[in-house]
Amino acid sequence: MRNPTILASGVLSASGAALKRVYFEGGAGAVVTKSLSVEAREGHKNPTVIEIEEGLLNAVGLANPGYKNFIKELKYLKESGVVVVASVFGKSISEYVEVACGVAKYADAVELNLSCPNVEGKLFAQSENLSYEAVRAVKSKLKIPVFAKLTPNVTDIVSVAKACEEAKVDALVVTNTVKAMKIDIYAKKPVLANKTGGLSGRCLKPIAVRCVYEIAKEVDIDIIGCGGVFTGEDAVEYFLAGAKAVQIGTAVLYRGIDVFKKVCSEIEDYLRKEGFESIEEIIGLAI
Amino acid sequence: MIAKLHVTKIREIIKETRRIKTFILDMKIKAQPGQFAMVWLPDVDEKPMALSYIDGYAGITVLKLGDFTKKLHEAKVGDIVGIRAPLGRGFKLRDEDKKILIVGGGIGVAPLAPLAEKAVEEGKEVTAIIGAVTKSELLFVNRFEKVGAKVYITTDDGTAGIKGFTTDAMRMLLEKETFDACYICGPEIMMVKALELARAKKIPSQVSLHRYFKCGIGICGACVLDGCGYRVCKEGPTFWDFEIEKCSEFGSYWRNAAGVKVYFKKK
Ligand SMILES: Cc1cc2nc3c(=O)[nH]c(=O)nc-3n(C[C@H](O)[C@H](O)[C@H](O)COP(=O)(O)O)c2cc1C
Ligand code: FES
């Protein structure tokens, strides 16, 4: 990776053309695809994404064309020289394995989305056992790195992280969105067609930083911070809490596709001002 | 905030044709012609609609086509709709262009009427080609005429004006006249042909594209065009000819809600 900023899954990641643009024009160190499933999914009806105070609320419902349709897009990205992480979603362990194996040849790493709040039923990342089993099953088949993306919607995120560590995950992405709702007071109804959605953006940052910090104290694997990174200072906060890289999603809306370049140069500014040579020196300093 | 959701009432409903209605909203929106609104019908869906009225109370003009537009057509004055607007990039009227051509097919005329009004206001000479399948489905001819545009009409069945497509009229017109700029909106296959005609005469043109939108604000990626990577909802929906040339999917396919390619039927 040429820099520690990564495009988060689901944001401008529905096609090869979009991901390529974020990588080259935006300057991301790597990009994560939309979460891919076995079958094509249309996702939820609109409204699927709305702006609220200090954040975005989305319930896209994992719309994607299915991993088989997406292989063309991954090939295109490989040919274009883009560093790409394939996000994988399944309703069962065997689905996670099928999709992960299907895309592994065309990706630099696989990210298991164990934590989408916008699908029916309990999330894998809300169970230590399921998280362990999913990671272990996929790890046993793949040679490329496997990331697990966790949810903050749990009482004890550290135990889930530990379960993934035991299953030999290569990195943890901390975190996905917080489950939330917006009601329009004049329509007198929830705005999202799915009623509830995932909250991202600035308001997510203090929650996700806390999660990173708690996990970094107890667990010895790489952490990628995710949630509300808008500026270099936000990224630094994650590094100090123990993350080695950050993912950026919502900020693309407010600072443009080149938010990655901006964040990188702001990180450099911070390091220079504070007298550090590299990011490595500040990882986990706040712990 | 990009464009906050604003729940408003329908102020007035105008039946334009058998299948087209205009909904005037109880809100004013400072917008450019060609910009759009995400229109939410609670419990139904939310879809992008071009703003067809931008002076005074804002309006949208809707062709009854699928479930959403059918439900919208059932709405009454006083019913509520949620609006996020203005979104996207509108048409660009350039100072140096004195004489412009507007080509609209079917419901594609909706964003072109306010464009014609603005162009005339800016002192431009406006010629318009307006097409529809049949006479009774022609949209906004009166609005173009009212501001003094020179109007040519085409219908597929010959019930009014020239029998044929807008592009047939355009071909004939460009043989004897030229324009500084051309603005095109209609079925994508029509826009491909119209762009070719304009390009052959070296007339700079803009088209307005239609794609499946989810967020409408440039974040979800549903509307990103292959080849160029432009977001139709953000860098578009209007594109210059030199921009659209880089979009390999133009005139070929679009992507549905799942992101699966759907190919256009060639006439
Ligand atoms: C429109 C939208 C769609 C998303 N889709 C996915 C998805 O498919 N898979 C996933 O793992 N996360 C998805 N996310 C969550 C983001 O990847 C990220 O975890 C979250 O937005 C927090 O980061 P941010 O505050 O920088 O946006 C989505 C977020 C948004 C805003
Ligand atoms: S509709 Fe979401 S990016 Fe255009």
Side-chain angles (χ1 to χ4, degrees):
Chain A
M1 244 171 58
R2 59 187 178 186
N3 71 59
T5 64
I6 305 169
L7 173 74
S9 176
V11 171
L12 291 185
S13 57
S15 68
L19 291 161
K20 184 179 165 188
R21 186 169 170 203
V22 173
Y23 187 79
F24 288 109
E25 183 187 324
V31 293
V32 186
T33 68
K34 178 78 198 160
S35 295
L36 303 168
S37 52
V38 173
E39 304 293 340
R41 291 173 59 103
E42 294 211 337
H44 299 303
K45 280 211 160 143
N46 281 344
T48 44
V49 183
I50 50 161
E51 275 192 279
I52 56 167
E53 305 77 20
E54 295 294 309
L56 268 189
L57 197 54
N58 91 83
V60 171
L62 294 177
N64 79 93
Y67 78 91
K68 288 180 191 138
N69 272 321
F70 209 81
I71 286 175
K72 298 191 275 297
E73 315 279 338
L74 290 170
K75 281 185 180 160
Y76 169 75
L77 290 167
K78 281 275 92 173
E79 283 159 17
S80 310
V82 176
V83 179
V84 58
V85 178
S87 173
V88 167
F89 171 78
K91 291 196 290 291
S92 62
I93 306 267
S94 63
E95 285 192 5
Y96 274 108
V97 171
E98 179 184 343
V99 181
C101 292
V103 296
K105 223 169 94 188
Y106 314 99
D108 296 289
V110 155
E111 175 178 299
L112 303 179
N113 177 4
L114 304 173
S115 49
C116 179
N118 300 323
V119 285
E120 330 66 44
K122 192 171 164 162
L123 309 178
F124 272 64
Q126 284 171 335
S127 151
E128 293 150 43
N129 271 341
L130 286 174
S131 300
Y132 173 84
E133 292 297 338
V135 172
R136 205 190 53 138
V138 173
K139 270 304 284 183
S140 73
K141 302 270 187 193
L142 297 195
K143 292 202 185 67
I144 58 172
V146 174
F147 308 164
K149 187 166 177 182
L150 304 188
T151 177
N153 302 310
V154 285
T155 38
D156 177 12
I157 197 167
V158 176
S159 343
V160 182
K162 280 183 173 160
C164 294
E165 181 183 39
E166 246 174 82
K168 302 276 186 299
V169 81
D170 297 287
L172 294 168
V173 180
V174 183
T175 72
N176 212 313
T177 51
V178 170
K179 193 169 177 178
M181 178 182 276
K182 164 74 185 172
I183 293 173
D184 184 273
I185 59 168
Y186 298 104
K188 305 173 189 72
K189 285 185 187 330
V191 177
L192 292 172
N194 189 49
K195 313 280 190 265
T196 62
L199 185 60
S200 63
R202 284 203 176 89
C203 50
L204 181 58
K205 196 185 75 177
I207 298 171
V209 166
R210 182 266 300 169
C211 293
V212 169
Y213 184 91
E214 286 180 350
I215 293 171
K217 258 187 9 191
E218 304 280 334
V219 171
D220 205 21
I221 39 182
D222 290 351
I223 301 171
I224 301 168
C226 178
V229 175
F230 277 54
T231 64
E233 285 89 351
D234 296 329
V236 166
E237 220 179 308
Y238 276 99
F239 298 145
L240 293 171
K244 286 200 165 159
V246 289
Q247 291 190 356
I248 300 176
T250 304
V252 169
L253 180 60
Y254 299 94
R255 298 193 75 194
I257 288 180
D258 61 350
V259 58
F260 303 91
K261 288 182 187 163
K262 292 174 182 161
V263 166
C264 286
S265 93
E266 289 156 4
I267 294 171
E268 290 301 322
D269 289 347
Y270 172 86
L271 294 177
R272 205 173 316 116
K273 217 163 54 196
E274 291 289 311
F276 295 107
E277 299 280 318
S278 71
I279 292 168
E280 281 71 46
E281 291 174 34
I282 64 169
I283 292 168
L285 262 192
I287 301 174
Chain B
M1 283 282 164
I2 305 289
K4 205 170 178 262
L5 173 71
H6 192 98
V7 171
T8 186
K9 287 200 168 81
I10 298 171
R11 225 185 128 82
E12 191 188 339
I13 299 174
I14 307 160
K15 196 163 160 66
E16 306 283 359
T17 77
R18 197 170 49 85
R19 295 166 65 207
I20 300 174
K21 278 183 182 174
T22 291
F23 300 86
I24 303 291
L25 309 168
D26 203 17
M27 69 187 285
K28 294 181 178 174
I29 299 169
K30 232 179 124 52
Q32 296 298 316
Q35 286 190 296
F36 68 95
M38 289 299 287
V39 180
W40 173 46
L41 269 184
D43 299 324
V44 185
D45 208 337
E46 186 198 40
K47 297 264 179 187
M49 294 285 162
L51 291 163
S52 58
Y53 285 90
I54 49 185
D55 275 339
Y57 290 100
I60 52 167
T61 299
V62 182
L63 170 71
K64 190 155 84 175
L65 205 64
D67 289 347
F68 176 78
T69 50
K70 216 162 102 191
K71 281 273 162 40
L72 194 49
H73 268 239
E74 286 165 14
K76 292 179 199 64
V77 170
D79 285 358
I80 58 159
V81 289
I83 300 288
R84 295 189 285 138
L87 298 173
R89 179 181 72 161
F91 290 112
K92 173 92 184 138
L93 288 167
R94 301 180 305 180
D95 290 343
E96 63 270 30
D97 298 337
K98 300 290 172 241
K99 194 177 164 201
I100 66 163
L101 175 64
I102 291 178
V103 184
I107 192 67
V109 177
L112 296 174
L115 176 71
E117 288 160 359
K118 186 165 180 230
V120 169
E121 205 180 285
E122 289 183 6
K124 301 188 198 308
E125 186 187 326
V126 178
T127 303
I129 301 173
I130 300 173
V133 278
T134 186
K135 183 178 176 185
S136 58
E137 288 302 307
L138 282 163
L139 181 64
F140 289 153
V141 175
N142 56 341
R143 282 179 73 183
F144 287 85
E145 285 173 349
K146 198 171 155 198
V147 294
K150 195 162 163 208
V151 180
Y152 295 88
I153 285 168
T154 68
T155 49
D156 297 4
D157 64 0
T159 43
I162 303 160
K163 181 172 164 48
F165 300 132
T166 50
T167 43
D168 297 325
M170 189 176 168
R171 188 178 303 110
M172 291 191 285
L173 186 62
L174 293 185
E175 270 163 25
K176 48 181 188 169
E177 246 185 282
T178 189
F179 298 88
D180 302 323
C182 180
Y183 299 85
I184 307 160
C185 187
E188 194 148 317
I189 301 303
M190 176 206 114
M191 294 199 287
V192 171
K193 284 191 195 152
L195 264 187
E196 272 169 25
L197 293 171
R199 190 176 298 129
K201 301 283 179 187
K202 300 205 165 53
I203 305 172
S205 330
Q206 275 194 315
V207 294
S208 179
L209 244 60
H210 184 78
R211 284 293 181 273
Y212 187 86
F213 287 177
K214 288 183 191 286
C215 71
I217 51 179
I219 191 86
C220 75
C223 69
V224 172
L225 297 171
D226 276 354
C228 53
Y230 295 137
R231 295 164 287 183
V232 176
C233 72
K234 185 90 176 180
E235 283 84 23
T238 69
F239 292 100
W240 285 105
D241 43 11
F242 60 84
E243 292 168 329
I244 208 75
E245 271 164 23
K246 291 183 268 177
C247 306
S248 52
E249 73 175 67
F250 178 62
S252 175
Y253 57 86
W254 58 284
R255 287 171 192 267
N256 68 12
V260 176
K261 294 176 187 175
V262 183
Y263 287 83
F264 291 112
K265 287 192 213 75
K266 308 251 168 174
K267 271 197 194 162

